Amino acid sequence: MARAPKLPQIDTEERFLAQVAWAYHVEGLTQEKVAEKLGATRLRVNKALSEATARGLVRITFNTAFAACAELEAALRARFGLRQAYVAPAPMEQRDVQMIVGAALGNLLSEVLADPVVRLFGMSWGGTLNIATRFVAAMERPDLEVMSVMGGLTRGSDLNSFEITTRLADLLGAQHSYFTAPLYAGSRESRDTIMQLDVFREVLEKLRGVDALAMAAGDISKNSLLMRDGLPGDVTMDELRALGAVGDVLGVVIDADGHPIAHPINERVIGIGLDDLGPIPNVILAAGGPHKVLVVRAVLKRGVVNTLVTDEATARALLGSG
């Protein structure tokens, strides 16, 4: 029997040591301020500084893969007004970008979902989120409910919001619920009819009240799950590109400034809209790869993302011109 491929791992302990050392030695924060910034105790920060020195992570320069990432994280927070940025080290092979970003998201979600304050969590769909469920730490959160925030694909897929939501909830011993509707209605009129039904109005109000939400972004190519498997039959990628589309988030097709393009497809989305993301305490966007740079930058321009999870090369591209 062939052995399963080894999955890349994120060394969360070394990442924490690098964050502490960077904030203390480079940013010049006191141990108390470092603890406040990273949500840790002062004792843990003190031990982390000693451990970083003992491991040889801190010398005249940083001797860790996460050093450059820490600098990029700080730059991303400043540029896009983020609360948190999580930049994973660049993989050896470009094809592994989605895997490494998914692994990073899984590690982050382990922290987010362990917080008892988070009682209602929203999950969208996509390959990155699917991979993330492999890296989330198992825990018992019977008080937590995981909700799919998007309508589903018409055909089965392990990248579908239904399957991802179920997998994550099972891992957490949590409750789960689905948004049982297709992502797109046949027309604006049929969408309005569906959205006016009591059952959908109640679900949408619940989705708008989640404590945190994880979502992906897709470009306008066959690399995108939506473009490949979810686009309505009467809509083509070419016509979306002609209107300035750079990608989608939550099924809403947007331009380079993060605005929905003027196309009927955006009037057919059944689900929460981009404006609904503003009041959500922690909106997490996870995406990486050169083909995602334009759409990720566009989503960040809207100012609705609190936490970005990406890879080193994508982070550098986002911080470039544009």
Side-chain angles (χ1 to χ4, degrees):
M1 179 181 296
R3 296 179 62 184
K6 185 177 180 180
L7 300 177
Q9 300 291 325
I10 298 294
D11 187 340
T12 54
E13 178 61 21
E14 181 175 319
R15 178 176 184 274
F16 179 76
L17 297 181
Q19 286 181 311
V20 170
W22 184 272
Y24 183 79
H25 291 288
V26 180
E27 294 185 46
L29 302 182
T30 64
Q31 292 187 24
E32 183 178 359
K33 289 295 184 182
V34 174
E36 181 180 337
K37 176 181 178 179
L38 299 179
T41 64
R42 185 172 177 178
L43 176 60
R44 188 182 179 202
V45 167
N46 183 271
K47 289 182 176 179
L49 288 170
S50 298
E51 179 66 14
T53 302
R55 289 194 187 188
L57 302 184
V58 181
R59 298 175 184 170
I60 297 175
T61 58
F62 272 57
N63 185 30
T64 166
F66 286 107
C69 297
E71 185 175 9
L72 288 170
E73 288 169 355
L76 286 169
R77 290 196 302 271
R79 171 73 68 86
F80 297 107
L82 300 168
R83 183 188 314 150
Q84 184 178 11
Y86 192 153
V87 177
M92 292 292 291
E93 301 289 341
Q94 179 65 39
R95 63 175 180 268
D96 292 330
V97 167
Q98 187 177 61
M99 180 65 75
I100 203 71
V101 173
L105 175 61
N107 279 276
L108 175 67
L109 292 184
S110 296
E111 300 175 12
V112 170
L113 297 172
D115 186 348
V117 172
V118 177
R119 304 288 296 274
L120 188 59
F121 180 74
M123 197 75 164
S124 75
W125 67 15
T128 302
L129 273 66
N130 178 48
I131 291 168
T133 60
R134 308 183 203 176
F135 293 89
V136 175
M139 62 186 82
E140 286 299 319
R141 285 295 313 272
D143 59 324
L144 173 71
E145 182 177 354
V146 180
M147 294 188 70
S148 62
V149 300
M150 298 172 66
L153 297 175
T154 55
R155 66 181 187 179
S157 167
D158 61 358
L159 308 183
N160 208 332
S161 57
F162 301 156
E163 284 75 11
I164 293 173
T165 299
T166 302
R167 194 178 311 119
L168 181 62
D170 289 346
L171 190 63
L172 303 173
Q175 307 169 58
H176 64 276
S177 56
Y178 304 134
F179 189 51
T180 51
L183 179 57
Y184 296 112
S187 65
R188 176 179 180 175
E189 292 72 24
S190 59
R191 173 199 178 274
D192 291 344
T193 299
I194 292 171
M195 297 282 274
Q196 289 170 7
L197 296 174
D198 288 345
V199 61
F200 285 107
R201 284 212 311 266
E202 292 170 4
V203 171
L204 286 169
E205 283 306 307
K206 192 173 181 179
L207 288 176
R208 294 183 180 111
V210 295
D211 301 303
L213 180 151
M215 64 184 189
D219 66 321
I220 307 296
S221 79
K222 289 296 184 179
N223 291 317
S224 165
L225 172 65
L226 176 64
M227 296 297 123
R228 188 174 66 246
D229 295 334
L231 205 62
D234 58 346
V235 178
T236 68
M237 288 189 290
D238 287 341
E239 63 185 277
L240 298 179
R241 287 197 199 97
L243 292 171
V246 297
D248 85 281
V249 61
L250 300 178
V252 179
V253 182
I254 60 176
D255 64 18
D257 292 318
H259 303 305
I261 64 170
H263 188 282
I265 191 172
N266 286 330
E267 299 176 347
R268 295 162 59 178
V269 179
I270 302 175
I272 60 174
L274 300 185
D275 291 339
D276 293 319
L277 299 177
I280 296 174
N282 190 10
V283 175
I284 303 165
L285 173 64
H291 58 295
K292 296 285 188 77
V293 172
L294 290 178
V295 66
V296 171
R297 183 185 284 130
V299 179
L300 293 177
K301 283 182 178 180
R302 282 195 69 93
V304 295
V305 174
N306 307 106
T307 302
L308 174 66
V309 182
T310 192
D311 66 286
E312 195 172 346
T314 303
R316 293 187 189 283
L318 288 170
L319 292 166
S321 61

